[in-house]
Amino acid sequence: VQSGGTPFIRSSVDPCRTCCYTTEIMPMSHMNMAMRTWLERLVPNASHASSVIRRKALSKNVDVILGALATKKATPVSLKELYRFGQDPSLRLHHAQFLHREVPIRVSQRVMELRCLPFRLSESHGVREVIDNYTSYVLDLLTMDPPSTDDQVDMFQRYMKYLLQDNTEVVQT
């Protein structure tokens, strides 16, 4: 926490040394309102650039982006709401757009938690693999435009199924 009580986002070498992630880029108080604008500054013309160009630019700033997303509050959703959402096919586009916004936040939070594991566990091969996979998922989702048509919703749904299936292969007992 900065003097004056404003937390910052950390993207330094070891984000686990303090309770918050900080960097000199932008105060947390402005982050929630300006996330898209901020990402646009990190990746100029992101909305007009090809996905390959956006991915390269995002990759250069991945620690800052993960830190920024990890500090955002995830939207609370109850099991009852999830069940109700799944029963209404007319809201499919709305749900895909919600997931497009929400999944990067939640996955970034998991990445930061994994990076902060005690006893250097985050440096083990298995945990590194999970961190790398999750980071790649966040970059993929940030590179994709939010779904706006039924075809894009179908493509997004296939990607989300891939994410779930890909994660089942990471840890084998």
Side-chain angles (χ1 to χ4, degrees):
V1 175
Q2 196 79 355
S3 64
T6 305
F8 281 73
I9 302 201
R10 180 180 299 263
S11 66
S12 64
V13 176
D14 185 4
C16 306
R17 291 190 190 263
T18 60
C19 295
C20 60
Y21 312 111
T22 65
T23 188
E24 311 315 320
I25 292 186
M26 152 175 230
M28 171 75 172
S29 59
H30 301 290
M31 189 62 65
N32 290 339
M33 296 180 298
M35 179 57 85
R36 275 288 191 215
T37 305
W38 182 69
L39 284 174
E40 184 72 29
R41 275 190 273 143
L42 285 175
V43 186
N45 300 315
S47 57
H48 305 294
S50 74
S51 61
V52 172
I53 293 170
R54 281 188 277 180
R55 175 67 180 239
K56 285 181 182 179
L58 287 170
S59 295
K60 290 179 185 176
N61 297 294
V62 71
D63 289 333
V64 174
I65 292 167
L66 288 172
L69 288 170
T71 60
K72 292 186 77 165
K73 184 177 180 188
T75 306
V77 181
S78 70
L79 287 175
K80 183 178 180 180
E81 289 172 317
L82 285 176
Y83 178 77
R84 185 175 51 88
F85 292 157
Q87 298 299 312
D88 190 352
S90 67
L91 296 175
R92 201 167 158 242
L93 176 62
H94 174 72
H95 299 144
Q97 291 169 342
F98 170 77
L99 287 174
H100 186 270
R101 272 190 324 271
E102 192 70 19
V103 170
I105 293 168
R106 292 177 187 237
V107 173
S108 294
Q109 291 169 346
R110 298 304 75 79
V111 167
M112 298 312 271
E113 289 171 359
L114 288 168
R115 285 181 174 182
C116 293
L117 287 173
F119 311 113
R120 299 174 56 144
L121 287 171
S122 63
E123 296 173 18
S124 70
H125 174 71
V127 175
R128 271 296 349 137
E129 187 178 345
V130 172
I131 289 171
D132 292 345
N133 286 345
Y134 282 12
T135 300
S136 178
Y137 303 154
V138 170
L139 292 176
D140 288 347
L141 288 166
L142 292 177
T143 302
M144 289 181 201
D145 290 324
S148 60
T149 66
D150 286 339
D151 288 341
Q152 290 173 340
V153 169
D154 290 339
M155 183 181 78
F156 181 74
Q157 183 179 9
R158 283 192 302 276
Y159 182 74
M160 295 306 292
K161 283 182 181 178
Y162 160 76
L163 281 179
L164 289 172
Q165 291 170 349
D166 190 41
N167 280 320
T168 61
E169 301 296 321
V170 172
V171 179
Q172 297 177 355
T173 56

